[in-house]
Amino acid sequence: MIINSKSNEKVKFVKSLNDKKFRNKNNAYYLEGIKVINEVVFSNNISDINFIFYSKEILSKVNNGILLLEEIIKRCEEQHIPMYEVEKNILEYVCDTVTPQGILCVLNKKDKNLISEIKNVQNENIFILDGVQDMGNLGTIIRNAAAFNIGSIICLENTADIYSPKVLRSTMGNIFKVNIFYEKFEEVLKILKENNYTLVGTSLNETKKIDELDFNKKIAFVFGNEANGVTDNVLSSCDEKIKIEMNEQVESLNVSVASGIVGYIQYKNKFLN
């Protein structure tokens, strides 16, 4: 039976996940896209899936859409994961995009403990986000982290919600390749110090170059708000502060670009040398 009513309880539930308040209340979020969901159902993250919505009408116009859908249906039947076919207009209603991608899965957020994750990490660096607000920037930072072996991203409380549909779309499925935490800075600082991390802040006003860092240490790089940078409280707690060299006629870099440059340089020095 195809779901075609906006008053359906599951439809209302998915619709509510566009709001951060309900994502937090239900400890859930949703992902869109046939390729991303195909990867999820054939990974260890399949156990996080609550249920899946799909529209054959939309997927029939996507390259290999129906073929991948059949593989997903078979896999979900084997793993007893509910799948519901919905009308095209229902997906358009629940998704926050004008042109939905034809399939979405609702997932439960994983409960992760920062202390245990940090203790189990052998040699990975960390990104700390201090007030980053732009959804596209957040998604790109996650992709950068996954690309350059950054094991975890710690979001301070003033940072936007990584589980927003807009952020998740821009991660291109890389949300599962990085541990995500939301913590108060005081707690983060305590945990990192106990586990021998060097806290490195990024700032336009510093003279130390990133290449001068000791990459044999475990480093937590701090990136600040798009307009204001790293907050004074956080920056003053950093062990070291660095800047990225660039043309002096350019005032600043986009925070996601900065994270990509820092990510690559630490990757080159830590994993390629």
Side-chain angles (χ1 to χ4, degrees):
M1 180 178 175
I2 301 176
I3 296 176
N4 58 12
S5 171
K6 294 178 181 178
S7 61
N8 178 279
E9 288 303 314
K10 282 191 164 45
V11 171
K12 290 193 288 186
F13 179 73
V14 176
K15 179 73 172 176
S16 75
L17 297 180
N18 289 314
D19 188 322
K20 177 182 177 180
K21 177 177 70 175
F22 289 103
R23 289 195 296 271
N24 290 340
K25 177 182 177 181
N26 295 290
N27 204 36
Y29 64 101
Y30 70 79
L31 279 178
E32 293 179 79
I34 189 71
K35 291 182 180 178
V36 171
I37 294 173
N38 187 58
E39 288 181 12
V40 175
V41 300
F42 285 98
S43 73
N44 293 332
N45 298 299
I46 189 170
S47 59
D48 299 329
I49 298 177
N50 192 321
F51 62 86
I52 293 176
F53 272 4
Y54 67 93
S55 164
K56 282 187 177 178
E57 182 181 351
I58 297 175
L59 289 174
S60 65
K61 298 172 184 176
V62 175
N63 188 33
N64 292 325
I66 296 299
L67 181 63
L68 289 174
L69 175 63
E70 290 172 354
E71 293 178 3
I72 291 170
I73 290 173
K74 182 179 179 182
R75 175 68 170 163
C76 288
E77 286 177 347
E78 294 171 351
Q79 300 296 316
H80 308 291
I81 294 171
M83 291 189 68
Y84 304 97
E85 184 174 1
V86 300
E87 294 283 2
K88 175 184 176 183
N89 71 301
I90 295 299
L91 271 188
E92 291 172 340
Y93 170 70
V94 299
C95 293
D96 72 338
T97 52
V98 177
T99 53
Q101 300 179 49
I103 187 168
L104 65 81
C105 67
V106 174
L107 299 105
N108 302 312
K109 294 181 185 177
K110 285 184 176 178
D111 290 323
K112 297 178 182 178
N113 182 276
L114 178 59
I115 297 175
S116 61
E117 289 288 343
I118 295 299
K119 284 183 177 179
N120 289 332
V121 167
Q122 296 300 314
N123 198 32
E124 289 181 341
N125 291 335
I126 291 171
F127 280 174
I128 296 176
L129 306 185
D130 178 19
V132 176
Q133 293 296 311
D134 183 84
M135 302 298 181
N137 284 339
L138 280 172
T140 302
I141 290 170
I142 293 170
R143 290 168 66 185
N144 290 340
F148 299 124
N149 284 7
I150 296 294
S152 299
I153 295 177
I154 302 173
C155 300
L156 303 185
E157 292 182 311
N158 54 351
T159 300
D161 185 17
I162 273 177
Y163 294 98
S164 158
K166 291 180 181 178
V167 175
L168 293 171
R169 277 194 301 275
S170 62
T171 69
M172 302 294 286
N174 287 291
I175 187 71
F176 299 110
K177 298 173 183 175
V178 182
N179 294 314
I180 307 289
F181 302 95
Y182 277 82
E183 299 285 349
K184 294 181 179 178
F185 178 64
E186 291 73 18
E187 184 65 18
V188 171
L189 185 62
K190 178 174 178 286
I191 293 169
L192 292 180
K193 293 299 182 185
E194 289 174 351
N195 289 276
N196 301 314
Y197 271 86
T198 297
L199 197 62
V200 176
T202 54
S203 172
L204 294 171
N205 301 319
E206 299 304 318
T207 58
K208 185 165 186 173
K209 303 170 187 176
I210 185 173
D211 295 308
E212 297 171 358
L213 288 175
D214 180 0
F215 289 99
N216 292 314
K217 298 178 181 179
K218 293 189 293 186
I219 302 174
F221 293 99
V222 186
F223 300 93
N225 174 268
E226 289 85 351
N228 303 311
V230 180
T231 56
D232 292 340
N233 174 49
V234 175
L235 196 61
S236 64
S237 300
C238 290
D239 302 300
E240 300 187 57
K241 306 174 189 71
I242 58 166
K243 72 171 184 178
I244 298 171
E245 288 185 289
M246 59 183 182
N247 188 324
E248 293 181 357
Q249 293 180 342
V250 177
E251 183 179 342
S252 64
L253 288 174
N254 175 282
V255 65
S256 64
V257 173
S259 77
I261 293 171
V262 171
Y264 172 71
I265 292 173
Q266 66 84 39
Y267 178 76
K268 181 181 71 172
N269 283 276
K270 201 174 190 73
F271 298 100
L272 300 183
N273 286 347

